[in-house]
Amino acid sequence: MVKTKKDTSTEERILNAAREVFIEHGLAGARMQEIADKAGINKALLHYYFRNKEKLFETVFIETMQAFLPKINSIFSSDLELFEKIEAFCGEYIDKILENPFIPLFVLHEMNKQPDEFVKNMWGGKKPNIKILVGQIEEAVHKKQIRPIHPAHLMMNIMGMCIFPFVGRPLVQLIMNVNDRQFTQMMQERKKLIPEFVRLSIQIK
């Protein structure tokens, strides 16, 4: 079926409404009726476009990640020096999760359920281009500017420090006794704290 302008507009309204509801309630707490109400349509029409909540969530997620990939590739391929690049990545990554807090738990769930298919769909058949970044890390090790470390370990360390507070958010807020506003402020601070921690841990003075 060829979609008309009206069809495209309706689908876009649905996706925008769904994104708002998923950000507020997550996948488990979202209701199709609320999404339909926000989109200004009835529930039957919503199901015509997206047969269930899971399919709608997957569409929103994939759109979000595919829009994110060019920004990450732009950072990784830029002329920034290594630690500037790490700081730019942390800032972009944390900002994206703050805007879309449903991402981390959904990624963990889907990667455990269907890892090959999920990774393929997540980036639209593509993946981050880390070749230049890996080369910078290896060169910095060779020149003894940083301690010997495999690029994969460095990337896992950085991503782990960015992601874990969001995955463990309820526990973090409970233990540290911080509210939502304070948690967001802490995550904003981590955009600088993580790169500085990484720099101090591997840079050779």
Side-chain angles (χ1 to χ4, degrees), residues 1-200:
M1 182 178 105
V2 178
K3 289 188 175 181
T4 65
K5 274 189 174 181
K6 184 177 180 181
D7 292 323
T8 303
S9 174
T10 300
E11 183 171 309
E12 189 60 33
R13 290 209 318 274
I14 291 171
L15 291 173
N16 288 336
R19 192 174 291 105
E20 289 182 32
V21 174
F22 289 139
I23 288 172
E24 184 175 355
H25 302 295
L27 175 58
R31 296 290 177 267
M32 291 292 268
Q33 185 61 62
E34 183 178 359
I35 294 171
D37 291 343
K38 278 187 176 290
I41 60 175
N42 60 52
K43 195 173 177 180
L45 183 58
L46 174 57
H47 281 288
Y48 170 75
Y49 280 90
F50 298 95
R51 64 180 180 273
N52 56 47
K53 182 173 66 172
E54 288 70 23
K55 183 62 180 176
L56 178 52
F57 188 95
E58 180 182 324
T59 302
V60 170
F61 171 80
I62 290 174
E63 278 196 354
T64 300
M65 295 308 293
Q66 290 184 2
F68 183 48
L69 180 60
K71 296 179 181 179
I72 293 301
N73 280 339
S74 177
I75 292 171
F76 287 167
S77 303
S78 71
D79 294 330
L80 293 172
E81 66 95 21
L82 178 59
F83 291 113
E84 290 176 335
K85 195 167 288 189
I86 290 172
E87 182 174 336
F89 170 78
C90 290
E92 189 67 42
Y93 199 92
I94 290 173
D95 279 343
K96 181 56 65 176
I97 300 180
L98 283 172
E99 292 170 6
N100 303 275
F102 56 81
I103 287 177
L105 289 177
F106 182 68
V107 169
L108 289 176
H109 179 267
E110 291 300 307
M111 286 188 71
N112 284 319
K113 187 173 71 173
Q114 47 181 5
D116 294 338
E117 190 65 22
F118 175 71
V119 171
K120 177 183 174 183
N121 290 337
M122 181 171 67
W123 302 113
K126 301 177 183 179
K127 61 181 181 179
N129 183 2
I130 63 172
K131 184 177 180 181
I132 293 176
L133 178 62
V134 167
Q136 282 181 283
I137 297 169
E138 292 174 340
E139 182 180 8
V141 169
H142 178 72
K143 291 181 175 180
K144 294 183 169 41
Q145 295 170 339
I146 63 174
R147 304 179 192 281
I149 185 170
H150 193 289
H153 282 302
L154 181 55
M155 288 304 299
M156 285 189 288
N157 290 344
I158 294 167
M159 292 182 66
M161 286 189 284
C162 288
I163 296 171
F164 175 76
F166 293 99
V167 174
R169 178 171 180 167
L171 185 61
V172 171
Q173 290 192 244
L174 176 65
I175 292 175
M176 301 307 299
N177 192 29
V178 297
N179 58 34
D180 290 343
R181 182 189 61 78
Q182 292 169 323
F183 178 84
T184 298
Q185 179 59 37
M186 289 173 65
M187 296 307 102
Q188 292 288 354
E189 292 167 358
R190 287 182 71 79
K191 292 191 291 186
K192 297 288 186 182
L193 288 174
I194 294 171
E196 181 64 7
F197 181 87
V198 170
R199 185 184 66 79
L200 290 174

